[in-house]
Amino acid sequence: MDKSVKRNILLGLFVVVGIVLFIIGIFLVGAKSEMFKNTFPLSAKFTNATGLKIGSNVRYNGVKVGIVKTVNIIDDSTVQVDMQIEDSKRMFITTTAVATIASDGLMGDKLVNIITGKPGGITIRNYAYLQTHNPINTEQVLQTLSGSNENIRMITENLKILTSDLNNKNGALQMLYKDTDAAFDLKTSFSNLRLVTGKVAQVSQTLQDITALIQHGKGTAAELLNDTVLGHNLASTMASLKETSNKLNAVSNQLSLTVQHVNNGNGTVNMLLTDTTLAANVQQSVLNLKKASKGLDEDMEGLKHSFLLRKYFRKKSRKNK
Amino acid sequence: MDMFFQDAAELAQFTVAVIKEGVRPPYEFREVLNQCYETGIKSFILVGITAFILGLVLIMQSRPTLVEFGAGSFLPAMSSVSIVREIGPLVTALICAGKIGSGISAELGSMKVTEQIDAMEVSGTNPFKFLIATRIMATTLMIPVLTLYAILIALTGAFTAASITDQVNIGFFFNRVFDTLKFSDVIPSFTKTFFFGFAIGLVGCTKGYNSKKGTEGVGKAANASVVIAMLSVIVIDMVVTRITAMLGYL
């Protein structure tokens, strides 16, 4: 074969293979860009479409179903995103589906993710608007993290103060931490506490037993709680006691009034209680009465021996015997 | 400064002359094919080896950083965008500027100093049509094809590096590669390779055709051709990137 023909064949092969590779590449890239598939248009309105651009992927529950066709600003708070969705995926997307803007991994490109909505929706139509859920933007995340950082700073500062107090030699925590005597006391306290707890448990058991007895109607307490007749009697007694108490109260009030009158009045009783002269006179009168009584006794004794009345006294003495 | 403007004027005159002669029949198809073979097939091995190594090195260099950020799975996406958008076209153009540009310049310079071009004119052959237009046509057509191969080989190199360091499935790798690519990556990248090829051929032909008398002039012409062609490639790359950004594809 002629040399020039060989060269031409080789060149032709070189170019044809190159062109075929180019066409395959274009086909593959086109297939990924939904160029060779039947698609239908959908739109969604977001307040923020940061990072979203023409050609960004559209996914339905994480599976690629289309691409973003245009991103347009509608007004100062609305961005409209038009999408091309594969027609074969239309059946899965309903009117209740929700579109969100997500990231492909932590550092990946932004994309539109359509998630299944509430049941009851119908298959979506061309040029329909999907419900949207606006994404949490990075600034909001950073603001939250800033708040968390501030909290962490405060917590660490408190921990610093706490550890500083712990290291303070005169502090209670340091004493607990380092002082062996305190530790021994604490240990003893815990031991005592354990004993007390044991006793409390015993008491509790006893109370439980008593309660059981009461519940079974045994003993005086059970009778007190369960006997209706006794209860009635007790109620009557209580009523009587109440009545008596009321009467006593009335008497007490009267006595109080009397004492008040005695204290405030100019009567004999008040004079007897307060007038010392009268008291001295009374005392003297009593003494006189004693003397008079003694004289009367002597007179009576004399009368017994008198001949006029002797007979009467003898007769009385015999009668008494 | 004078030299710069002089070179610019020469290039402008040459561009007008080449376009005028190129579109006017008769066409030198056989010579175009011959030049395509010289520029395309004979540069393939060099471009292929360079592209493979670059793809390999790109992954080996990028992997530790991406893994450190927990983004190891982005290696295929990162390599595809880097190679298709920039590394493939630029490296191919620079290698061709060095190899093809200097070759064209030296060949035409030698023909000039040995008065072969003058002889062609005397014999009734249009040197612009036969020598210049065919070479520029060949570089304009072959550098995009070489770039396609370079991109494929560089991606293969990237996959090789990824499969050495990690257990990467070839299906997964190339699926992620094509999943990441968009027409806005491929079309501007492929379009600029035509401009690269045209610039390399034009600069090589201009410098060779206008080389001064003597072997020293041929050497200088080849050297200037390489330098100016590489600079032109980088300037065109910058302009195309800017235009792509202005159109909203970046």
Side-chain angles (χ1 to χ4, degrees), chain B residues 147-217:
Chain B
T147 303
L148 286 173
Y149 282 105
I151 287 169
L152 185 70
I153 293 166
L155 286 172
T156 310
F159 167 69
T160 308
S163 60
I164 288 168
T165 49
D166 301 304
Q167 296 292 319
V168 180
N169 179 278
I170 188 167
F172 170 79
F173 186 87
F174 280 97
N175 192 40
R176 289 301 301 269
V177 164
F178 286 107
D179 198 26
T180 313
L181 289 176
K182 300 181 184 79
F183 278 116
S184 56
D185 299 319
V186 177
I187 299 301
S189 167
F190 189 66
T191 307
K192 70 184 174 186
T193 57
F194 287 96
F195 291 99
F196 289 165
F198 184 80
I200 290 164
L202 185 72
V203 170
C205 290
T206 310
K207 284 290 152 191
Y209 194 82
N210 294 321
S211 64
K212 302 291 183 293
K213 299 281 182 185
T215 50
E216 192 186 349

Side-chain angles (χ1 to χ4, degrees), chain A residues 29-314:
Chain A
V29 174
K32 297 287 180 187
S33 305
E34 314 294 335
M35 187 167 272
F36 307 116
K37 291 178 181 172
N38 288 329
T39 59
F40 70 98
L42 270 186
S43 298
K45 287 178 180 174
F46 296 95
T47 54
N48 188 341
T50 308
L52 208 63
K53 54 190 177 185
I54 297 165
S56 294
N57 287 333
V58 178
R59 294 185 178 170
Y60 180 74
N61 289 340
V63 178
K64 190 186 172 188
V65 293
I67 57 163
V68 171
K69 197 177 172 188
T70 57
V71 180
N72 292 316
I73 300 170
I74 302 296
D75 56 45
D76 61 348
S77 60
T78 313
V79 178
Q80 180 167 322
V81 178
D82 299 320
M83 299 165 275
Q84 278 185 314
I85 310 292
E86 288 176 37
D87 212 23
S88 59
K89 307 293 189 299
R90 186 199 290 267
M91 68 181 92
F92 303 111
I93 304 170
T94 61
T95 48
T96 55
V98 180
T100 59
I101 294 175
S103 285
D104 192 4
L106 189 64
M107 297 166 63
D109 292 337
K110 292 284 182 183
L111 52 89
V112 178
N113 195 24
I114 301 170
I115 52 174
T116 312
K118 290 174 184 172
I122 55 167
T123 305
I124 204 150
R125 291 181 176 182
N126 291 358
Y127 299 105
Y129 283 88
L130 287 169
Q131 296 174 47
T132 56
H133 179 70
N134 285 302
I136 299 170
N137 61 35
T138 316
E139 285 76 16
Q140 286 175 323
V141 174
L142 287 173
Q143 275 182 355
T144 310
L145 279 174
S146 174
S148 303
N149 281 343
E150 183 61 25
N151 292 340
I152 290 167
R153 190 185 63 78
M154 286 169 66
I155 290 164
T156 49
E157 273 185 10
N158 290 339
L159 272 173
K160 187 180 166 188
I161 293 164
L162 196 67
T163 48
S164 175
D165 288 348
L166 193 65
N167 287 327
N168 182 7
K169 287 182 180 174
N170 298 321
L173 286 169
Q174 172 72 6
M175 191 188 74
L176 280 172
Y177 184 56
K178 291 278 175 73
D179 193 342
T180 52
D181 293 340
F184 179 75
D185 292 345
L186 199 64
K187 193 176 174 182
T188 310
S189 299
F190 278 125
S191 179
N192 292 338
L193 196 64
R194 191 165 57 243
L195 287 169
V196 169
T197 313
K199 299 255 178 170
V200 167
Q202 285 176 358
V203 170
S204 172
Q205 183 60 46
T206 309
L207 280 171
Q208 199 175 352
D209 294 343
I210 292 165
T211 312
L213 287 170
I214 290 167
Q215 280 175 346
H216 288 97
K218 294 175 182 174
T220 312
E223 277 183 16
L224 278 169
L225 289 171
N226 298 327
D227 193 340
T228 53
V229 177
L230 186 62
H232 181 71
N233 292 340
L234 275 172
S236 301
T237 309
M238 288 301 291
S240 301
L241 275 173
K242 190 178 176 183
E243 195 180 341
T244 309
S245 172
N246 289 337
K247 285 178 180 173
L248 279 172
N249 193 28
V251 170
S252 171
N253 287 336
Q254 285 174 355
L255 273 172
S256 177
L257 281 169
T258 307
V259 169
Q260 200 174 355
H261 287 308
V262 167
N263 286 333
N264 296 332
N266 297 319
T268 311
V269 176
N270 185 37
M271 285 181 71
L272 278 169
L273 289 170
T274 56
D275 193 343
T276 51
T277 311
L278 181 63
N281 291 337
V282 168
Q283 196 173 11
Q284 189 58 50
S285 299
V286 169
L287 288 172
N288 293 335
L289 276 171
K290 275 185 178 178
K291 282 180 183 176
S293 176
K294 194 176 178 182
L296 195 60
D297 285 343
E298 286 174 356
D299 290 339
M300 282 298 288
E301 195 62 34
L303 284 172
K304 283 177 182 178
H305 294 286
S306 167
F307 72 98
L308 288 174
L309 297 169
R310 189 184 300 159
K311 192 178 177 180
Y312 167 74
F313 283 110
R314 280 179 184 165

Side-chain angles (χ1 to χ4, degrees), chain B:
Chain B
M1 202 61 166
D2 291 343
M3 282 296 291
F4 174 77
F5 287 115
Q6 203 174 327
D7 286 344
E10 275 180 10
L11 279 171
Q13 284 173 357
F14 232 80
T15 307
V16 173
V18 164
I19 291 169
K20 201 185 284 179
E21 293 298 330
V23 296
R24 190 189 296 165
Y27 304 110
E28 299 288 345
F29 283 117
R30 194 174 292 277
E31 184 57 18
V32 170
L33 289 177
N34 188 40
Q35 289 303 321
C36 281
Y37 183 85
E38 291 294 327
T39 54
I41 302 289
K42 288 195 174 176
S43 305
F44 176 70
I45 301 293
L46 181 63
V47 168
I49 290 169
T50 312
F52 185 83
I53 292 168
L54 276 171
L56 202 82
V57 170
L58 178 71
I59 291 291
M60 290 166 80
Q61 295 269 24
S62 310
R63 188 184 168 279
T65 311
L66 285 175
V67 168
E68 193 178 338
F69 284 103
S73 62
F74 283 90
L75 272 173
M78 186 276 299
S79 63
S80 71
V81 172
S82 307
I83 289 168
V84 171
R85 272 191 184 179
E86 200 58 41
I87 292 173
L90 193 68
V91 167
T92 308
L94 291 176
I95 288 168
C96 290
K99 186 180 181 296
I100 300 167
S102 64
I104 290 170
S105 184
E107 189 183 6
L108 291 180
S110 301
M111 288 172 81
K112 180 82 175 177
V113 297
T114 55
E115 296 178 343
Q116 289 179 56
I117 293 173
D118 296 336
M120 284 174 78
E121 282 178 355
V122 170
S123 66
T125 308
N126 186 345
F128 255 91
K129 193 178 278 294
F130 189 79
L131 295 176
I132 312 298
T134 53
R135 280 169 173 75
I136 293 174
M137 181 75 81
T139 53
T140 309
L141 293 175
M142 281 298 105
I143 284 177
V145 180
L146 280 170
T147 303
L148 286 173
Y149 282 105
I151 287 169
L152 185 70
I153 293 166
L155 286 172
T156 310
F159 167 69
T160 308
S163 60
I164 288 168
T165 49
D166 301 304
Q167 296 292 319
V168 180
N169 179 278
I170 188 167
F172 170 79
F173 186 87
F174 280 97
N175 192 40
R176 289 301 301 269
V177 164
F178 286 107
D179 198 26
T180 313
L181 289 176
K182 300 181 184 79
F183 278 116
S184 56
D185 299 319
V186 177
I187 299 301
S189 167
F190 189 66
T191 307
K192 70 184 174 186
T193 57
F194 287 96
F195 291 99
F196 289 165
F198 184 80
I200 290 164
L202 185 72
V203 170
C205 290
T206 310
K207 284 290 152 191
Y209 194 82
N210 294 321
S211 64
K212 302 291 183 293
K213 299 281 182 185
T215 50
E216 192 186 349
V218 174
K220 280 183 178 175
N223 185 34
S225 165
V226 172
V227 172
I228 295 170
M230 284 185 172
L231 195 65
S232 304
V233 163
I234 290 165
V235 170
I236 290 167
D237 190 38
M238 184 191 74
V239 171
V240 171
T241 305
R242 185 68 200 132
I243 290 169
T244 310
M246 281 165 67
L247 293 171
Y249 291 117
L250 278 185

